[in-house]
Amino acid sequence: MSDAGLSSKTDSGTARQAEGRFGARIGPMPPAVDQGLIAQLRTIPVACISDVMFRLASGGATLRPIGAAALCGTVITVRVPPGDNLLVHKAIELGRPGDIIVVDAGGDLTNAIIGERMVEVAIAKQLAGMVIHGAIRDADRLRSCGFPVFAAGITHRGPYKNGPGEINFPIALNGMVVMPGDVIVGDDDGLVCLPIADAEFLTMEARKKADQEAANPPTHGDRSWIDTSLRRIGYSC
């Protein structure tokens, strides 16, 4: 191979190319989701959103709120090696008011990805929350600060800052695909991600579902469907 084919830290073009390869790249910031849509989604239970998505989109039962559970905003995606948070620091720097940093750290719980100090920076930048498919630390502070954080676990062991990683490329949390610019919503039941192309329609359908449930208390409904369903699979009722 000629010298021209080798990467060079002194060649700015080559350096940019190295920073953009798979696993070590930063994509463009996605458009912010309309705040009217965000306001609507904040009033709808995650369970209703999940139902109108045919229960096919879920962040999994392991991702739980550490303190404040209400979370809704524009997704900024991050993928990092287990236990490393260098690209999470960069994502916080890139974040805008209302953004939510969603981190795929492989679900590993050996080292914390974020703690109190990073959350303080996120609060100062007016981010809307963080989701860590991995561990956090400084749990007492995160529970009391009012800033929404979802995570898979807690450990006192701190992170490394070696990289590499990616920002604003597709990730998956327990099988739920998350794209930069999507809308993620969380409450005490967990997390659901709405693809931005479908978000307006899904919000409308979820609003109808929530209103329908509110108008029809379970004690007032027709319960004959239970025996009908049992007869269909062979029971005598």
Side-chain angles (χ1 to χ4, degrees):
M1 180 182 295
S2 68
D3 290 345
L6 297 174
S7 63
S8 170
K9 294 182 180 179
T10 60
D11 184 304
S12 59
T14 306
R16 284 195 297 272
Q17 182 178 12
E19 290 171 2
R21 70 182 186 273
F22 181 87
R25 54 188 178 173
I26 297 175
M29 292 293 285
V33 176
D34 178 75
Q35 287 303 301
L37 190 66
I38 296 294
Q40 292 181 61
L41 285 166
R42 288 187 181 278
T43 69
I44 304 173
V46 164
C48 290
I49 302 171
S50 177
D51 283 352
V52 301
M53 296 179 75
F54 300 104
R55 300 158 189 155
L56 293 176
S58 170
T62 61
L63 286 169
R64 305 300 307 149
I66 300 301
L71 175 150
C72 185
T74 305
V75 169
I76 304 302
T77 60
V78 186
R79 181 187 294 162
V80 295
D84 194 287
N85 73 358
L86 179 59
L87 270 290
V88 183
H89 280 279
K90 180 60 177 178
I92 292 173
E93 290 301 301
L94 293 172
R96 307 156 300 194
D99 285 344
I100 294 177
I101 308 296
V102 182
V103 181
D104 176 9
D108 184 80
L109 305 181
T110 307
N111 298 81
I113 297 297
I114 67 167
E116 174 183 3
R117 295 175 66 84
M118 293 178 73
V119 165
E120 287 180 356
V121 177
I123 292 171
K125 291 184 66 67
Q126 301 179 43
L127 302 186
M130 299 185 75
V131 176
I132 309 297
H133 189 210
I136 60 94
R137 67 177 182 176
D138 304 322
D140 283 350
R141 170 59 177 153
L142 268 58
R143 289 190 186 102
S144 64
C145 70
F147 182 78
V149 174
F150 279 69
I154 299 168
T155 180
H156 57 81
R157 297 179 66 177
Y160 300 100
K161 296 174 174 61
N162 301 322
E166 298 186 336
I167 297 174
N168 286 331
F169 287 89
I171 62 172
L173 308 180
N174 293 313
M176 181 176 73
V177 176
V178 182
M179 302 283 288
D182 284 350
V183 190
I184 196 160
V185 187
D187 64 18
D188 281 313
D189 282 344
L191 294 161
V192 65
C193 184
L194 290 72
I196 189 57
D198 302 306
E200 187 172 351
F201 171 77
L202 292 171
T203 300
M204 180 179 64
E205 292 298 300
R207 179 75 272 161
K208 292 179 184 176
K209 170 78 171 173
D211 291 346
Q212 181 183 38
E213 289 188 357
N216 295 278
T219 54
H220 296 175
D222 179 7
R223 306 284 287 172
S224 63
W225 66 268
I226 300 171
D227 287 350
T228 300
S229 297
L230 288 170
R231 284 193 292 269
R232 189 174 65 247
I233 57 175
Y235 286 81
S236 298
C237 300

